[in-house]
Every structure is written in structure tokens, then in C-alpha cells.
Amino acid sequence: MGEKTIYAIGRQFGSGGRAVGRKLAERLGIPYFDKELLSIAARDSGLSESLFSNADEKPASSLLYSIAMGNYPMATGALGFNEMPLNDQLFLIQSNTIKKIAEKGSCVIIGRCADFVLRDNPDAISIFIHAPLSARVERAVNVYEIDRDKAEDICLKNDKTRANFYNYYSDTKWGMCRTYDLSLDSASLGIDGCIEMILKYTELYDKHHKSVGDKVK
């Protein structure tokens, strides 16, 4: 990678993806962005932060049929900015915020299609944190203090919302291994184990590309 590394982390609900991202950022001494992105996007755009919060990782609800059919022209440029649904405008503003943050230096960004937004950024590593549903339910109960009889349903509903958001705004599939540089099972590795794997991947990536670069020279 270059002098900086941007870690874009997607996650299943209850997988501990946020914990992985936060601890990774602390270990590396780099900024961590999750809901902080909403505040920055609101400040930069002059819009209310509540607008971004209400639309956070949700596609335009009035277009659910188009999402299901996969025929809404979000990425085609068929619509002008002011003609787009509000959620789509907010997504573009938030995407610009993500790109600006990535320009400043190494950081960790959680969710919000950051891996897709930064797909052409050579300094970005895309990561997906997942775990079996049973492990995610246990985390939801023990860490998030969600009622056990509701935990499974909440996990599945949040995953569905995130998948709809990601699949709507990107041209890849949420949660599929080929979408990401690295896909990790937090139930098998643990939070710290996921961090070690991410750091090892970064080390090997840097070594490989340096070797390739030296051969080209």
C-alpha cells in the first residue's frame, strides 16, 4: 500500500465488526469513523444531522420495488442530483465525505458502502466481518443487551437492511466473499484474532506489491 491504509469494514449485525474496527484503530493510532461520518457529512453539507441518521444505511424506502428488481438508475447518471430521492442525495454527500476522509490519511471506516465508494483507491482494504447466527445472537444478548427472544429477529432484520442498502448503491453483493479483500469469521478468530489477520494481510499485501514494483523497475 502507500504511506496510508484505509480499512473499510462491513459487518453482519452482532459479529463484532465495530469492535474489530475500533480496536484496530486504537492499536494503529489512526482515526475511527462510524456514526461520526454522519456528523461530518451534515456539517460539510449544511444539512441536518437527523436527515443522515434517519437514512443511515437504508436505501430510499419509496423505491423498494426498484431495489428488488435491480432496475433503478442510481449509478447510471440518468438522474440529476436534485431529481434524486433524498436518501440518494444523502448517500452521494456521505460518499464524498468518505473520499475526503480517505485522502487525509490512514483510518478505519465502518459500513456505509465505504469499500465500494473507495473501490478505486489503491490505499483501501475492504474487509467483511461475519459469524454464525447463533454466535451473533449471543453477542446481541450479552453485549447489546437485547432480549434473547428478540435477538435473532433483530440480527436478521438488520442484516437485511444493510444488504438492501449495499446492493442498491453498489454493483456488488453484500456479504459475498469475492466482494471483499478479506472475509473473517469473528466467532472462529475472536475480535483480537480478526485484528491480527487484518494486520498480517496488510503486511503481506505491502510485501507482495513492493516485490512486484521492484521487478517492474
Side-chain angles (χ1 to χ4, degrees):
M1 313 218 64
E3 296 180 354
K4 60 184 176 181
T5 305
I6 298 94
Y7 298 95
I9 301 180
R11 72 282 182 227
Q12 286 184 313
F13 186 87
S15 66
R18 280 195 175 97
V20 170
R22 189 177 294 108
K23 290 191 72 173
L24 176 64
E26 290 174 355
R27 177 155 172 186
L28 295 175
I30 60 177
Y32 168 87
F33 297 96
D34 186 359
K35 293 189 180 297
E36 295 86 351
L37 281 169
L38 307 182
S39 300
I40 297 171
R43 184 191 65 207
D44 290 349
S45 65
L47 297 175
S48 168
E49 186 174 342
S50 64
L51 288 176
F52 289 92
S53 297
N54 291 334
D56 191 27
E57 294 196 292
K58 302 182 186 73
S61 58
S62 61
L63 300 176
L64 288 179
Y65 177 76
S66 294
I67 295 167
M69 298 302 291
N71 59 7
Y72 182 69
M74 172 63 193
T76 65
L79 294 181
F81 181 82
N82 292 328
E83 297 173 300
M84 293 177 181
L86 177 60
N87 282 38
D88 293 354
Q89 294 183 34
L90 296 174
F91 175 77
L92 291 180
I93 293 170
Q94 185 173 270
S95 296
N96 287 332
T97 297
I98 289 172
K99 290 177 181 178
K100 290 178 182 177
I101 287 172
E103 288 175 359
K104 294 179 179 179
S106 297
C107 62
V108 173
I109 302 176
I110 301 296
R112 296 163 186 88
C113 284
D115 63 288
F116 178 72
V117 172
L118 300 174
R119 63 194 179 281
D120 296 323
N121 189 322
D123 297 318
I125 292 178
S126 59
I127 302 153
F128 190 77
I129 306 297
H130 60 91
L133 181 58
S134 58
R136 297 192 287 123
V137 166
E138 288 304 312
R139 184 175 182 83
V141 172
N142 297 323
V143 178
Y144 305 152
E145 299 182 344
I146 295 173
D147 290 343
R148 183 171 293 277
D149 59 349
K150 298 178 181 178
E152 180 174 327
D153 188 50
I154 288 174
C155 286
L156 294 175
K157 284 183 176 178
N158 274 276
D159 285 352
K160 185 176 181 179
T161 299
R162 289 175 182 174
N164 283 342
F165 174 82
Y166 188 94
N167 297 343
Y168 174 56
Y169 287 116
S170 79
D171 59 4
T172 50
K173 293 295 183 182
W174 183 84
M176 292 187 69
C177 62
R178 67 173 178 266
T179 297
Y180 308 90
D181 296 317
L182 195 60
S183 182
L184 301 172
D185 183 345
S186 60
S188 297
L189 296 170
I191 301 300
D192 291 333
C194 286
I195 292 170
E196 293 301 325
M197 289 293 288
I198 293 169
L199 294 175
K200 187 63 177 178
Y201 177 91
T202 306
E203 176 189 339
L204 293 173
Y205 182 97
D206 286 345
K207 185 181 297 184
H208 171 71
H209 283 267
K210 182 179 185 299
S211 175
V212 171
D214 289 343
K215 289 179 181 179
V216 171
K217 292 177 182 177

